[in-house]
């Protein structure tokens, strides 16, 4: 990600700093928009200390043509007048679309999906579903198969990102007012409102940039292990699949089919394990609620806040203001989330390998490539780690995959998949350390308990009637 993700970059002719060198004008290697608000790289602007220093607006906007100047003021006005939730999602969407439009760092631009590509994706998902029938007892979950451009992926996944990010951003917005002494809060009302508006805009810009970068990396709708789109819609991104398979030495059709297997396997899991989505998002929310804002850092930012220098808030967000609470509850929440992500990805890895190994000569190579890709993450994932205080990465994917494979050998496909019937039946982090112990342990049968509870509920009125008759 760029070191100046919110666009308040240094002007080209920045004055020399203390060591006699020019200050860095374009730091970072981010792929997002260099100056979404139009404040950076202004020709001839010397900053507040250079030419035009007596007139900050001349320093900022002096060399811009009237059209660009009007757009810059319009964007600035939108940022300061925002009164919505903790994240300006309209701005996030705008920045994400701008990032996508610029293309990825390797120069690959987004493109509309043609009829031939849509047909190829539909056929790949249909064939993948047939192969998966032999590898899992869960029925097909892909009611439809779609081929998306990067821009379409952004539009479709923003609601899920909102659900993930809003709780954390809301606490930051509240903390901006709480760090001021109570007697000053009434006097500083307008300032607090401005800071919250800017905080929402900056969160929106950072999230939008990260989502835009992710759109250039993902190959489907389930790459991060969380369901980002409605259940039953398998989605692949042809332009990114092309880039992914470019240097692998594997036929394009095989790459597409293997990725379709992974997408279709995720869809089966999320469609037929009804509690899984809320379990995963609840684990993210539970972990996020245990993170506290670094009030010391925030107090320092608020105490020195200058409305003409919004980079202070930008830097605080970019560097991260979250400190995980080192409590048993927080450790348990983190373990629960990491284990849940690992179990989902491990199950998909094991099931897809079982389906692909007998049919695709490149199955082993593609499996290892995707494992490494998933483990290493990318720049956008690091941005979410900074903003949410959490890396959405299955650290124990290999351990989980081995456990699911062992369960298949010991209990068969039906016995393995039956564990998804209830969250309490799933392996824990401790079980990943001792997979053999879990595989051979006698499992509780929750279906009998559910049956008894159901019968009790249905028999309630009859039992009451019998009691009444006795009386």
């Amino acid at each position: 990600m760029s070191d100046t993700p919110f666009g308040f970059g240094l002007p080209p002719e920045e004055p020399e700093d203390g060591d006699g060198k020019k200050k860095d004008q374009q730091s970072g290697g981010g792929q997002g928009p260099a100056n979404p608000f139009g404040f950076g790289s202004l020709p001839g602007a010397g900053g507040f200390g250079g030419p035009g220093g007596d007139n900050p607006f001349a320093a900022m906007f002096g060399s811009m043509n009237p059209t660009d100047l009007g757009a810059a003021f319009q964007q600035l006005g939108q940022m300061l007048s925002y009164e919505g939730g903790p994240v300006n999602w309209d701005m996030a969407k705008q920045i994400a679309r701008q990032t996508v439009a610029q293309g990825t760092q390797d120069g690959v631009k987004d493109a509309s999906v043609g009829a031939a590509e849509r047909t190829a994706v539909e056929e790949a998902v249909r064939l993948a579903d047939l192969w998966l029938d032999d590898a899992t007892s869960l029925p097909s979950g892909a009611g439809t198969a779609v081929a998306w451009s990067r821009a379409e992926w952004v539009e479709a996944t923003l609601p899920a990102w909102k659900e993930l990010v809003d709780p954390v951003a809301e606490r930051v917005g509240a903390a901006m007012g709480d760090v001021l002494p109570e007697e000053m809060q009434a006097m500083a009302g307008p300032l607090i409102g401005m800071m919250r508006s800017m905080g929402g805009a900056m969160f929106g810009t950072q999230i939008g940039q990260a989502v835009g970068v992710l759109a250039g990396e993902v190959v489907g709708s389930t790459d991060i292990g969380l369901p980002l789109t409605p259940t039953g819609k398998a989605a692949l991104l042809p332009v990114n699949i092309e880039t992914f398979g470019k240097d692998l030495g594997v036929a394009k059709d095989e790459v597409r089919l293997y990725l379709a297997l992974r997408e279709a396997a995720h869809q089966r899991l999320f469609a037929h394990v009804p509690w899984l989505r809320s379990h995963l998002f609840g684990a993210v929310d539970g972990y996020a609620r245990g993170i506290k804002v670094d009030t010391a850092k925030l107090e320092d930012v608020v105490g020195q806040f200058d409305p003409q220098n919004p980079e202070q808030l930008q830097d605080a967000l970019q560097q991260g203001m979250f400190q995980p609470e080192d409590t048993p509850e927080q450790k348990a929440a983190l373990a629960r989330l990491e284990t849940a992500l690992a179990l989902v990805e491990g199950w998909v890895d094991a099931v897809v390998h079982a389906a692909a190994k007998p049919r695709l000569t490149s199955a082993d190579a593609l499996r290892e490539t995707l494992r490494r890709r998933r483990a290493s993450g990318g720049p956008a994932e690091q941005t979410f780690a900074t903003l949410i205080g959490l890396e959405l990465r299955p650290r124990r994917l290999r351990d989980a995959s081995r456990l699911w494979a062992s369960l298949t050998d010991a209990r068969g496909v039906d016995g393995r998949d039956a564990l998804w019937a209830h969250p309490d039946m799933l392996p824990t982090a401790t079980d990943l350390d001792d997979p053999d112990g879990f595989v051979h342990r006698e499992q509780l049968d929750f279906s009998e308990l559910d049956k008894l509870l159901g019968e009790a509920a249905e028999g309630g009125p009859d039992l009451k009637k019998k009691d009444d008759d006795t009386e």
Side-chain angles (χ1 to χ4, degrees):
M1 300 296 296
S2 170
D3 289 340
T4 55
F6 304 117
F8 300 101
L10 297 174
E13 297 297 327
E14 185 69 9
E16 293 181 350
D17 56 21
D19 59 5
K21 298 178 181 179
K22 295 279 187 180
K23 290 185 180 179
D24 185 15
Q25 299 170 11
Q26 290 277 353
S27 57
Q31 304 168 28
N35 51 9
F37 300 124
F39 293 172
S41 303
L42 306 181
F48 293 123
D54 293 335
N55 184 345
F57 289 104
M60 294 171 67
F61 305 118
S63 299
M64 300 178 69
N65 63 50
T67 301
D68 291 341
L69 182 62
F73 274 116
Q74 182 179 12
Q75 289 179 321
L76 179 60
Q78 290 173 352
M79 181 175 69
L80 295 178
S81 63
Y82 175 70
E83 296 180 352
V87 177
N88 188 331
W89 287 103
D90 290 337
M91 186 166 289
K93 178 180 175 180
Q94 176 186 349
I95 298 302
R97 293 296 298 263
Q98 289 176 359
T99 304
V100 164
Q102 288 187 349
T104 52
Q105 199 168 24
D106 56 7
V108 178
K109 297 281 188 178
D110 191 21
S112 299
V113 180
E117 290 174 317
R118 295 187 188 279
T119 300
V121 166
E122 291 170 359
E123 292 178 350
V125 173
R126 188 180 304 116
L127 181 56
D129 253 340
L130 289 176
W131 290 4
L132 288 171
D133 284 340
D134 297 331
T136 174
S137 62
L138 298 180
S140 172
T144 58
V146 295
W148 280 341
S149 66
R150 293 166 180 168
E152 288 173 319
W153 183 91
V154 167
E155 296 278 354
T157 62
L158 272 178
W161 293 121
K162 185 178 189 299
E163 189 174 348
L164 284 169
V165 176
D166 268 354
V168 177
E170 187 173 357
R171 285 201 311 283
V172 175
M176 285 182 174
D178 294 342
V179 297
L180 288 176
E182 187 173 350
E183 60 274 12
M184 293 182 59
Q185 290 188 17
M187 298 174 57
L191 176 60
I192 294 174
M194 178 186 293
M195 291 177 63
R196 286 180 176 172
S197 295
M198 294 188 69
M202 289 177 177
F203 253 110
T205 306
Q206 189 85 321
I207 288 294
Q209 202 169 30
V211 169
V213 174
L214 264 180
E217 299 173 356
V218 297
V219 293
S221 72
T222 55
D223 282 35
I224 69 166
L226 295 173
L228 297 179
T229 56
T231 301
K233 182 175 289 187
L236 295 176
L237 282 72
V239 65
N240 290 353
I241 292 176
E242 181 83 25
T243 302
F244 171 80
K246 185 177 180 181
D247 299 320
L248 296 181
V250 178
K252 181 179 178 180
D253 289 346
E254 284 202 20
V255 173
R256 184 194 300 114
L257 184 50
Y258 193 88
L259 297 176
L261 280 166
R262 288 183 53 82
E263 180 73 11
H266 276 102
Q267 292 299 333
R268 288 186 181 223
L269 199 56
F270 293 129
H272 299 291
V273 183
W275 53 265
L276 183 56
R277 187 186 191 281
S278 60
H279 180 76
L280 287 169
F281 277 75
V284 173
D285 184 66
Y287 176 78
R289 290 186 185 281
I291 298 175
K292 67 177 182 180
V293 177
D294 186 345
T295 53
K297 180 182 292 187
L298 192 56
E299 285 176 1
D300 183 61
V301 173
V302 172
Q304 303 178 30
F305 178 70
D306 178 0
Q308 293 183 344
N309 185 15
E311 284 181 327
Q312 292 172 333
L313 286 180
Q314 165 195 329
D315 291 342
L317 283 176
Q318 187 178 356
Q319 294 169 13
M321 291 188 292
F322 310 116
Q323 297 176 334
E325 291 276 14
D326 190 19
T327 63
E329 293 79 11
Q330 180 70 349
K331 290 179 179 178
L334 178 59
R336 185 166 60 252
L337 176 59
E338 291 185 341
T339 301
L341 287 172
L343 289 175
V344 169
E345 291 297 290
W347 184 88
V348 168
D349 180 78
V351 167
V352 168
H353 186 68
K357 178 69 172 175
R359 300 176 173 96
L360 295 178
T361 57
S362 58
D364 288 332
L366 288 170
R367 182 191 203 188
E368 186 60 28
T369 298
L370 283 160
R371 279 180 164 185
R372 293 179 179 177
R373 183 177 188 259
R374 191 71 181 90
S376 61
E381 284 195 9
Q382 183 55 48
T383 296
F384 288 114
T386 300
L387 288 174
I388 307 176
L390 173 70
E391 291 182 349
L392 298 173
R393 195 176 303 166
R395 299 178 184 277
R396 307 194 65 181
L397 186 155
R398 293 177 189 269
D399 294 337
S401 182
R402 281 193 292 268
L403 187 146
W404 288 118
S406 297
L407 282 167
T408 307
D409 294 338
R411 305 183 188 180
V413 168
D414 290 346
R416 177 201 66 199
D417 292 346
L419 294 179
W420 291 107
H422 195 283
D424 290 342
M425 295 177 67
L426 288 178
T428 64
T430 303
D431 294 324
L432 293 180
D433 296 328
D434 181 21
D436 290 337
F438 178 83
V439 168
H440 299 293
R441 185 188 312 154
E442 185 176 351
Q443 295 293 305
L444 296 174
D445 188 352
F446 283 86
S447 62
E448 289 299 320
L449 177 60
D450 291 340
K451 182 180 179 181
L452 290 173
L453 291 174
E455 290 175 351
E458 292 174 1
D462 293 335
L463 291 174
K464 186 177 186 302
K465 184 177 185 299
K466 185 178 293 185
D467 292 339
D468 293 340
D469 293 342
T470 302
E471 293 175 1

